[in-house]
Amino acid sequence: MRRAGDMLPIGKIARRTGLAVSAIRYYETEGLVHPIRSAAGQRQFRRSDIRRISFIKIAQELGFSLTDIRGEMEKLPEGRTPTTSDWEQISRRFRDELDQRIDQLQRTRDRLDGCIGCGCLSLKACSLYNPDDTVREKGAGPRLILDDGQKSEEV
Amino acid sequence: MRRAGDMLPIGKIARRTGLAVSAIRYYETEGLVHPIRSAAGQRQFRRSDIRRISFIKIAQELGFSLTDIRGEMEKLPEGRTPTTSDWEQISRRFRDELDQRIDQLQRTRDRLDGCIGCGCLSLKACSLYNPDDTVREKGAGPRLILDDGQKSEEV
DNA sequence: TCTTGAGCTAAAGTTAACTTGAGCAATTAC
DNA sequence: GTAATTGCTCAAGTTAACTTTAGCTCAAGA
């Protein structure tokens, strides 16, 4: 039994979440929220959609894309808004992601340290470029072929 | 005295750097390289442009935008390609930037840790949202106004 | 009832960093 | 000398996450 009074129009959702109305409409087209429609075709949101949108903004703040976020929400049974225990699962996954990004940046910084005095700035030699896994994509992508048929001097 | 033989056409630059020809042309429109033109209007690059483009790719790899990179290069006298000692200066600035990004991510992760068991997921209460300086932009931007004129229940 | 204010749709605009395509011109290879 | 390759310009397309605009409709208050 969902009384009309339980539902909120898009403007209130916008005010409660701090988002623009257009952003909320956009989230709907992206499948992140699923308002029902009034007889006249206006969107009607549940109160829990405020929490749902808060989740989206927080996850974005953590650096995740809307696609990532939709993915996480689709793992929940029947597309429900994350509960406290859902959040516990999800936030652990987010934490792991953050850890990986921090590690990656730290490795980059360390490589940069090793290069401060070097100044080789050569794509063939510099360890800053192609650190680990940029090349080897089956043969496509940037080549780093160095022979242009001329005496390879200074570069 | 710049002999024609010292100059390279765009295709060779592309092969030597691993970039697409279109990307190099794009860099020109963005003011990142400044090839001269042959009598027939074809681009002619200096050998040092290979190094210049290597610098661009490396800086991108470190996470800087083309705008940032152009900014760094414009600090150099008469728009020269970074030398070894230029690189020393620039790489220290880059290092500082990376440090700041790492710190930021670590703070975010730590805040997330404090929230794993919490699950409040409320934009008004959650320390994950609006961590430090997201609000207070002179009054514009997201409001986080919480009063919608209804008894504020569950949220 | 009449006037605002709020909502609706569909299409186009925005930024970054390029790519793709069309239609030609210049160079290089044989 | 001719074909294949490379290069040129200009315009439009791409992705993400939205915003803006235009042209209407609906709802709420005096």
Side-chain angles (χ1 to χ4, degrees):
Chain A
M1 56 190 202
R2 171 160 304 123
R3 290 173 303 112
D6 289 338
M7 305 303 279
L8 301 168
I10 197 166
K12 291 220 162 140
I13 296 288
R15 254 170 285 132
R16 296 282 295 253
T17 59
L19 292 194
V21 166
S22 60
I24 298 170
R25 289 201 192 105
Y26 174 71
Y27 286 178
E28 187 189 8
T29 70
E30 291 298 298
L32 290 158
V33 283
H34 309 286
I36 56 175
R37 297 299 177 116
S38 72
Q42 303 198 340
R43 291 170 182 83
Q44 306 283 159
F45 294 81
R46 303 175 186 182
R47 277 178 178 284
S48 69
D49 284 327
I50 293 172
R51 185 182 168 82
R52 191 176 180 87
I53 290 172
S54 299
F55 169 71
I56 295 170
K57 296 311 288 180
I58 289 168
Q60 270 191 316
E61 194 91 2
L62 295 178
F64 297 91
S65 69
L66 293 183
T67 303
D68 293 337
I69 296 167
R70 185 177 47 216
E72 284 298 332
M73 295 209 288
E74 280 169 357
K75 287 181 193 163
L76 301 178
E78 62 217 67
R80 74 168 169 230
T81 292
T83 65
T84 299
S85 81
D86 291 333
W87 168 243
E88 190 161 335
Q89 309 290 312
I90 294 174
S91 59
R92 279 183 209 288
R93 284 198 286 270
F94 281 177
R95 202 216 124 95
D96 289 347
E97 264 285 319
L98 282 182
D99 266 342
Q100 284 179 34
R101 270 190 238 148
I102 291 169
D103 283 358
Q104 175 67 48
L105 269 186
Q106 278 170 339
R107 281 196 301 270
T108 297
R109 185 190 55 189
D110 293 346
R111 275 186 288 115
L112 180 56
D113 275 347
C115 269
I116 282 184
C118 146
C120 69
L121 279 185
S122 155
L123 289 184
K124 65 179 166 185
C126 188
S127 74
L128 284 171
Y129 196 69
N130 282 321
D132 295 313
D133 40 11
T134 309
V135 177
R136 68 161 157 84
E137 296 269 324
K138 285 260 180 56
R143 233 62 52 71
L144 299 192
I145 282 172
L146 301 160
D147 184 5
D148 68 348
Q150 296 200 276
K151 279 181 299 188
S152 168
E153 324 147 321
E154 37 147 359
V155 172
Chain B
M1 55 192 205
R2 172 159 304 120
R3 289 175 302 112
D6 287 339
M7 306 301 280
L8 301 168
I10 198 167
K12 290 218 162 144
I13 296 289
R15 255 169 284 132
R16 296 281 295 253
T17 59
L19 293 195
V21 166
S22 61
I24 299 171
R25 289 200 192 105
Y26 174 71
Y27 286 178
E28 187 188 9
T29 71
E30 291 298 298
L32 290 159
V33 284
H34 310 286
I36 57 175
R37 297 300 177 117
S38 71
Q42 302 199 337
R43 292 171 182 82
Q44 306 282 158
F45 294 82
R46 303 176 187 182
R47 275 177 180 285
S48 70
D49 284 328
I50 293 172
R51 185 181 168 84
R52 192 176 181 87
I53 290 172
S54 299
F55 169 71
I56 296 169
K57 296 312 286 180
I58 289 168
Q60 270 191 317
E61 194 90 1
L62 295 178
F64 297 91
S65 69
L66 293 184
T67 302
D68 294 337
I69 296 167
R70 185 178 44 217
E72 285 298 332
M73 293 208 289
E74 280 168 358
K75 287 181 193 162
L76 301 179
E78 61 215 69
R80 74 169 168 229
T81 292
T83 65
T84 299
S85 82
D86 292 333
W87 169 244
E88 189 161 336
Q89 309 291 313
I90 294 174
S91 59
R92 279 183 209 287
R93 285 198 286 271
F94 281 177
R95 202 216 124 97
D96 288 348
E97 263 286 318
L98 282 183
D99 265 342
Q100 283 178 35
R101 271 189 239 147
I102 290 169
D103 282 359
Q104 176 67 49
L105 269 186
Q106 278 171 340
R107 281 196 300 271
T108 297
R109 184 190 55 191
D110 293 345
R111 277 185 286 115
L112 179 56
D113 275 347
C115 268
I116 283 184
C118 148
C120 67
L121 278 185
S122 156
L123 289 184
K124 66 179 165 186
C126 188
S127 74
L128 283 171
Y129 196 68
N130 280 319
D132 294 314
D133 41 10
T134 308
V135 176
R136 68 161 157 84
E137 296 268 324
K138 286 260 181 58
R143 233 61 51 75
L144 300 191
I145 283 171
L146 301 160
D147 184 6
D148 69 347
Q150 295 199 274
K151 277 181 301 190
S152 170
E153 323 145 325
E154 36 146 358
V155 171

